[in-house]
Amino acid sequence: MHYKLWAFGSNDRGQLGIPHDPNDISTHDKVFKPREVHCLHEEIKSISGGAKHTLILTDEGSVLGAGDNTDGQLGSYRHARLRYHCSLNEELPQMVPQFEYMYTGIQFCAAAWTSTAYVANRKKTADIFTEGTCLWGELARGRSKDTYPHPAYCASGGSGKIMTTLEGNVVSFAAGTYHYVAIMDNGDVYGWGKARNHQLGDQYDDPSPKVHTTPTKIINHPSKWKKVVCGMDFTLLLGDTGADEKYILGGHKHGLNPLRLDITRWKDICATWNAIFVLFEDGSLVARGKNKDWELVPPNLPRITQIAASPGHVVASTSSGEVITWGFAEDGQCGPITQIQLPVENGRFDGHFNTITGIPGHIIRVEAVPGRSFVLTEIDEPSNKKTVGESSNAIDLFAELQSEIEEEKDTILSRIN
């Protein structure tokens, strides 16, 4: 078996990892039909992304990045100078048009709008470092506004400077639009970035806009939290999978706080900018939050097995092996819209969903990031055994190539003589 990654959605800065082909306009700004992304050498653990940059974290701890780098959100690439054939003094690439290996030894990575944060767990501590541009302290550098394309870093001994070291190991890590939250193995919760809407806690006396510019313990709670989910201006903390253990920070504007929803027997939970989606063990889906832009849970949904959400759309796999999408669709993140019989008004699937076709193989994972979708599939490897006819053809082709090589060799020798 081997894996294939498929992508569709916004690609104006190469954030799908699909290079722009001058002879194929469908690879440019908006990719509506799923296309294969040629980047996989390891199994994928997660896919995250900001406004226009995308990160793949593999099970082996490698990070691949693609897309916009005008804010340094994909780093300096000094560690990749052999691939880019550049010197240490060369300017940063403004765009990475296809996925390139960036770091190793990483356990978690997440992306806010124009920044990226990484976690490397040690024996009893966790190292956290960031890259990109911040408006609300997302870089955790002690300043609310900053640009810091981080130098090369490799957990196995790179030359980069460690940003912050926290006691304990990180067990869950997530980003909102302008904030990051980490849960430690002892249940402590740290956060940094934008805090004015109480997404990093309510322990404030100062009525002015709130920012945490360094990782700060944001909650002391008797529960031992295991998972964190972030929206634009809220943070949801969760206990064991399936248990009705939850605590929400922020989210007052759209009726999320308090979260009046029994989540017992939940299987997975994700969030858009202003809503929370709960997938239950029986395949049913429930959502809470802003319901004005598009209906959060379309009617007649099939049984769902996996779900992922970006700020403005949802991607799910079904028990029948299909991929479905709904929400904002103007950049292609919900797939082709010409095949839909129902109306797609104002560039969104509202009150119905789209079924994505043309993705071969067994669905392993679905992922959604701002303006784009990814689907990982497993496909049977072609047999290495050749039929007699295939073997004969291969021999003939080899003989033909060998003849061409000999002719080219004679030509070169004659020129030398």
Side-chain angles (χ1 to χ4, degrees):
M1 306 296 288
H2 67 285
Y3 299 96
K4 288 191 175 184
L5 183 64
W6 306 86
F8 45 100
S10 177
N11 196 44
D12 57 319
R13 298 292 295 172
Q15 57 266 48
L16 291 181
I18 301 173
H20 292 177
D21 184 344
N23 300 316
D24 185 357
I25 195 172
S26 68
T27 64
H28 293 193
D29 292 355
K30 301 178 181 181
V31 177
F32 285 88
K33 184 178 180 181
R35 299 180 70 99
E36 184 179 356
V37 181
H38 298 284
C39 69
L40 286 182
H41 301 288
E42 304 173 42
E43 294 184 24
I44 289 177
K45 180 179 180 179
S46 67
I47 298 179
S48 55
K52 293 181 182 293
H53 71 291
T54 307
L55 303 154
I56 295 176
L57 177 63
T58 73
D59 284 345
E60 299 299 320
S62 299
V63 178
L64 296 84
D68 187 31
N69 196 35
T70 54
D71 291 303
Q73 57 268 59
L74 292 177
S76 68
Y77 274 92
R78 292 174 181 174
H79 54 297
R81 60 183 181 276
L82 295 179
R83 295 198 304 275
Y84 283 94
H85 305 289
C86 66
S87 67
L88 288 175
N89 297 322
E90 189 165 340
E91 292 184 3
L92 310 185
Q94 297 296 296
M95 184 176 83
V96 181
Q98 60 189 20
F99 282 104
E100 297 283 351
Y101 276 87
M102 296 168 53
Y103 299 114
T104 60
I106 303 300
Q107 279 69 55
F108 297 95
C109 68
W113 204 239
T114 56
S115 66
T116 306
Y118 307 88
V119 176
N121 283 331
R122 308 303 185 185
K123 289 184 178 180
K124 296 182 179 180
T125 60
D127 294 331
I128 297 175
F129 68 101
T130 60
E131 297 175 323
T133 298
C134 70
L135 299 174
W136 295 89
E138 305 97 283
L139 294 185
R141 298 288 296 174
R143 293 181 291 271
S144 59
K145 295 183 179 181
D146 196 8
T147 299
Y148 194 88
H150 198 69
Y153 173 88
C154 177
S156 60
S159 60
K161 179 181 179 182
I162 302 301
M163 293 288 190
T164 303
T165 298
L166 300 178
E167 291 297 323
N169 282 173
V170 174
V171 297
S172 184
F173 189 54
T177 310
Y178 298 110
H179 73 288
Y180 291 92
V181 178
I183 297 179
M184 312 306 293
D185 53 7
N186 64 356
D188 287 343
V189 182
Y190 287 86
W192 64 93
K194 186 178 179 181
R196 66 179 300 174
N197 298 107
H198 305 290
Q199 60 265 57
L200 296 181
D202 298 308
Q203 67 280 26
Y204 307 113
D205 297 322
D206 183 3
S208 63
K210 313 299 190 301
V211 175
H212 281 322
T213 59
T214 58
T216 305
K217 188 181 293 188
I218 62 174
I219 183 174
N220 291 305
H221 199 279
S223 294
K224 190 171 182 179
W225 305 113
K226 302 294 182 62
K227 179 181 175 68
V228 58
V229 176
C230 294
M232 176 188 285
D233 292 324
F234 66 84
T235 300
L236 177 64
L237 303 174
L238 300 160
D240 291 322
T241 302
D244 187 24
E245 299 172 348
K246 59 187 181 294
Y247 189 79
I248 190 164
L249 305 170
H252 300 83
K253 183 176 180 181
H254 299 291
L256 290 171
N257 196 339
L259 184 60
R260 295 187 176 92
L261 176 64
D262 187 344
I263 61 171
T264 302
R265 302 183 70 83
W266 66 272
K267 179 181 180 181
D268 197 8
I269 297 179
C270 58
T272 59
W273 262 340
N274 302 307
I276 293 170
F277 294 78
V278 182
L279 174 62
F280 290 93
E281 294 173 356
D282 64 359
S284 62
L285 182 68
V286 174
R288 294 289 187 271
K290 185 179 180 181
N291 203 34
K292 293 182 179 179
D293 292 328
W294 39 273
E295 190 170 356
L296 297 180
V297 180
N300 304 315
L301 275 182
R303 183 174 177 269
I304 292 176
T305 56
Q306 296 181 70
I307 189 169
S310 81
H313 80 291
V314 177
V315 182
S317 62
T318 70
S319 58
S320 60
E322 294 180 313
V323 175
I324 60 175
T325 62
W326 65 93
F328 287 110
E330 67 273 21
D331 290 323
Q333 64 265 52
C334 286
I337 61 176
T338 55
Q339 65 189 25
I340 304 301
Q341 302 299 319
L342 295 171
V344 181
E345 299 179 354
N346 301 317
R348 69 193 72 177
F349 287 92
D350 182 11
H352 54 279
F353 57 87
N354 187 18
T355 301
I356 308 298
T357 59
I359 301 179
H362 172 67
I363 299 169
I364 300 298
R365 175 184 295 275
V366 294
E367 297 280 6
V369 294
R372 49 211 187 271
S373 303
F374 294 88
V375 180
L376 180 66
T377 63
E378 189 177 43
I379 299 177
D380 291 332
E381 292 183 358
S383 173
N384 292 324
K385 295 181 179 180
K386 302 286 186 180
T387 65
V388 173
E390 289 173 332
S391 299
S392 299
N393 291 336
I395 293 172
D396 293 341
L397 179 59
F398 178 77
E400 182 180 345
L401 291 173
Q402 190 175 34
S403 176
E404 291 179 0
I405 291 171
E406 290 297 329
E407 291 178 2
E408 186 69 20
K409 178 181 178 182
D410 292 340
T411 301
I412 293 173
L413 289 175
S414 65
R415 290 176 180 174
I416 293 175
N417 296 329

